[in-house]
Amino acid sequence: MTTPAISIIPLPRSIEFDGNSRFELPCAPTITGGLPVSALACKQLSKDTGRQWQIADASAPATVLLTRIEETGLGREGYDLDVTDDGITIRASADAGLFYGIQTLGQLCFPNEEGALPHLRIKDSPRFTWRGMHLDVSRHFFNREFVRRYIDLLARHKLNVFHWHLTDDDGWRIELDCFPDLTERTAWRGKNEALPPSYDTGDERYGGYYSKREISDIIEYAAARNVMIVPEIDVPGHCKPVTVCYPELLCEGEISSFKSVQDVSENLLCAGRDETFAFLAEVIKEVAALFPSPYIHMGGDERPEGPWEQCPLCAHRIEAEGLENIDALQGYFMERVRTLVADQGKTMVGWNEITHGEKVDQSAIVTAWQDPEKGIEAARAGYSVIMAPAQHTYFDLAQRDDPSEPGLRWAGVVTLAKAYEWEPIPDPELAKRVLGIQGCLWSETLVDEARADYMAFPRLCALAEVAWTPAGRQSFLDFKERLVPAHMSRLDLAGVIEHGSV
Ligand SMILES: [Zn+2]
């Protein structure tokens, strides 16, 4: 399946070669116009191949014929791509499939020193519908140019979900009209700021946020590349900015000594106060209106122990609702949040702790992060699941054993092999409930853009192949041959600043 000219990542479902014939790429190749993807294709292929791609004149045959056909049997993201003496044809039933065909064509054209493509036929479609990558922009902030490039790189790897972790203890990054204080005050941290310094950003004012206009522009940029943005507003923990602006949403009692896993105090919203849910209703309403995605991620992870256990308001809630324990209170909280999301016509996604207390309706989707077993448990409990086990998909974890290697290690070292060699569906009976997989890039140690790239790549390339390519066609050895040097040179061309070693 691998030849020097064919190093496609993720590997397509099938590739057939037609002898030794080749199609010479003209100096100024043309592509069918009139489709939403045509202009983008022209721009990307020109950048990637060093040739001047142009929209074809209607009177002359195009080098690349893009065709929308009724039915390909490959789904809306599938495509087939033919290279013959007459040129290149990409057929798909939807723009998503055409876009992915163009990504594959881009990889056939670069690197390609001969400037000729072998005659071939590719039939391709994804294994999973949810192929995601996450980015934490709270611990460290990444500006809109970085976010765009990140989305572009996801799209080039045929990933279709960007999970945008917009809020956490170290900065609130999404502008909201209903609560402007959140960005005016707590998008920033430093010695004289509302939030204290954290993660080595020092006493200086550090931070930033995305205006609603910027977010809309990024949503549009992503949509043109078949990437859906799923925003995350993380509750009830990880809410330091909220409680700094609105301390009336904290639990009653002596709570300052209780700390989260990340050593942050007073970052948990009170489950006993109705004001908490009134606040969240406003936030969710505005977020739902801003993002066209049918999903909103509401966190639900790492609730610090202590505040709820000793709060009289939370105790009253437990009694009034007939809840068995604190886990049930957590379930109650997240189920109430789920209904707020549902009120806006959307589906809630949450980290696997939302299953605690068994209160959250099975229409919610679970991102299983702690280990594969959590995903299996959630699927058996009737939830649709996104498998994101830290041991294989947390790219903020170190990628080599070497102690000098940057990255966290709480779930071990995620080598390139570990990012590639795992099966997201451990039990065939659960296959229907596994929507797909996702990689996560938490930013505690991502001190700058170069470091973010270094942690993401090339592990993201491995994730993309696990998400896209049929399990029976995956081979780590073959993947590495396609990765080095061909695909690594594409990463360089796409602007990846640094990457990990293979
Ligand atoms: Zn409370």
Side-chain angles (χ1 to χ4, degrees):
M1 63 184 90
T2 296
T3 76
I6 306 292
S7 294
I8 301 165
I9 290 178
L11 186 68
R13 189 166 287 266
S14 84
I15 306 177
E16 287 169 33
F17 292 95
D18 178 17
N20 295 315
S21 315
R22 305 179 89 73
F23 171 72
E24 299 281 335
L25 214 51
C27 296
T30 57
I31 193 161
T32 321
L35 287 158
V37 295
S38 302
L40 181 61
C42 240
K43 201 168 149 192
Q44 189 189 327
L45 290 167
S46 295
K47 177 169 182 272
D48 290 1
T49 65
R51 288 163 201 263
Q52 286 307 310
W53 288 73
Q54 289 160 12
I55 299 288
D57 192 320
S59 62
T63 316
V64 178
L65 181 65
L66 298 177
T67 316
R68 282 273 301 266
I69 54 173
E70 198 68 12
E71 189 45 67
T72 55
L74 296 166
R76 61 173 288 281
E77 295 185 308
Y79 64 93
D80 63 37
L81 186 157
D82 278 311
V83 180
T84 67
D85 271 337
D86 297 330
I88 300 156
T89 308
I90 300 173
R91 280 179 294 263
S93 63
D95 287 335
L98 291 178
F99 178 79
Y100 287 145
I102 291 158
Q103 300 317 302
T104 297
L105 174 61
Q107 293 194 3
L108 290 169
C109 293
F110 183 84
N112 182 334
E113 283 171 18
E114 298 169 30
L117 308 185
H119 285 195
L120 52 73
R121 174 156 213 204
I122 292 175
K123 275 186 166 301
D124 204 6
S125 63
R127 179 181 183 196
F128 289 111
T129 54
W130 187 294
R131 304 181 303 280
M133 230 2 252
H134 146 293
L135 180 66
D136 167 10
V137 294
S138 177
R139 275 58 175 265
H140 282 96
F141 179 65
F142 294 92
N143 66 26
R144 57 190 166 156
E145 286 76 25
F146 180 89
V147 172
R148 273 176 209 264
R149 179 164 68 79
Y150 192 74
I151 289 168
D152 184 56
L153 284 158
L154 265 55
R156 285 168 178 271
H157 290 87
K158 303 189 174 83
L159 298 174
N160 64 354
V161 178
F162 173 44
H163 172 170
W164 205 357
H165 185 77
L166 286 161
T167 71
D168 213 308
D169 295 323
D170 305 279
W172 183 279
R173 308 293 181 211
I174 170 174
E175 179 187 49
L176 294 177
D177 299 332
C178 55
F179 299 107
D181 284 357
L182 288 169
T183 40
E184 282 169 18
R185 297 188 57 210
T186 50
W188 308 96
R189 63 183 190 243
K191 196 175 170 189
N192 299 311
E193 303 297 327
L195 291 175
S198 60
Y199 298 116
D200 298 325
T201 53
D203 288 348
E204 294 295 307
R205 178 176 160 92
Y206 173 88
Y209 67 91
Y210 312 99
S211 70
K212 291 178 78 173
R213 175 69 192 272
E214 287 168 346
I215 288 173
S216 293
D217 286 349
I218 290 170
I219 290 169
E220 195 181 325
Y221 183 89
R225 290 157 179 78
N226 196 43
V227 173
M228 168 176 72
I229 302 186
V230 176
E232 181 183 354
I233 307 295
D234 198 352
V235 300
H238 295 284
C239 273
K240 188 72 180 174
V242 179
T243 64
V244 163
C245 293
Y246 310 107
E248 61 274 20
L249 300 181
L250 284 166
C251 282
E252 281 190 353
E254 288 300 318
I255 54 170
S256 58
S257 61
F258 300 115
K259 301 277 179 69
S260 72
V261 193
Q262 288 86 7
D263 206 34
V264 179
S265 64
E266 299 184 333
N267 75 340
L268 178 67
L269 303 178
C270 178
R273 296 182 191 274
D274 287 333
E275 296 87 333
T276 299
F277 300 100
F279 166 83
L280 290 174
E282 290 289 301
V283 169
I284 288 165
K285 191 176 168 195
E286 198 168 331
V287 170
L290 183 57
F291 288 87
S293 152
Y295 309 104
I296 301 180
H297 204 294
M298 293 303 302
D301 59 320
E302 297 182 329
R303 174 184 57 80
E305 288 185 13
W308 283 6
E309 283 80 351
Q310 61 78 63
C311 171
L313 299 172
C314 285
H316 182 256
R317 178 77 76 196
I318 286 172
E319 199 189 321
E321 297 291 336
L323 302 170
E324 305 81 13
N325 50 35
I326 291 287
D327 264 1
L329 183 61
Q330 156 114 0
Y332 165 87
F333 188 103
M334 293 312 295
E335 172 58 10
R336 228 172 131 173
V337 169
R338 188 199 64 74
T339 61
L340 294 175
V341 173
D343 286 346
Q344 301 304 318
K346 311 250 176 178
T347 298
M348 181 179 87
V349 189
W351 301 107
N352 55 246
E353 292 99 315
I354 66 168
T355 63
H356 290 184
E358 300 176 357
K359 300 285 180 206
V360 171
D361 187 79
Q362 273 82 358
S363 61
I365 297 171
V366 171
T367 312
W369 67 281
Q370 285 172 311
D371 54 57
E373 195 57 37
K374 293 288 188 295
I376 296 169
E377 284 167 19
R380 292 212 169 111
Y383 294 98
S384 293
V385 174
I386 299 152
M387 295 295 248
Q391 296 77 7
H392 300 285
T393 70
Y394 267 34
F395 302 150
D396 55 305
L397 300 184
Q399 51 198 307
R400 287 189 304 150
D401 238 339
D402 183 341
S404 68
E405 188 70 29
L408 305 179
R409 287 159 197 266
W410 65 268
V413 170
V414 181
T415 59
L416 185 62
K418 284 196 82 175
Y420 191 95
E421 295 181 302
W422 65 290
E423 172 47 52
I425 304 177
D427 174 352
E429 285 192 7
L430 301 175
K432 256 193 351 219
R433 298 214 189 283
V434 179
L435 298 180
I437 68 170
Q438 186 174 291
C440 289
L441 200 55
W442 298 98
S443 63
E444 284 95 331
T445 68
L446 306 188
V447 291
D448 55 28
E449 294 181 359
R451 176 62 57 79
D453 282 356
Y454 178 83
M455 301 307 277
F457 297 97
R459 290 182 288 185
L460 184 151
C461 314
L463 177 98
E465 189 148 310
V466 178
W468 180 277
T469 304
R473 278 175 66 74
Q474 291 171 21
S475 151
F476 184 55
L477 282 178
D478 185 75
F479 167 75
K480 279 204 297 187
E481 282 184 19
R482 281 175 281 125
L483 186 63
V484 183
H487 197 70
M488 292 306 243
S489 67
R490 292 180 197 131
L491 297 182
D492 292 340
L493 184 72
V496 170
I497 306 163
E498 281 183 14
H499 51 69
S501 53
V502 175

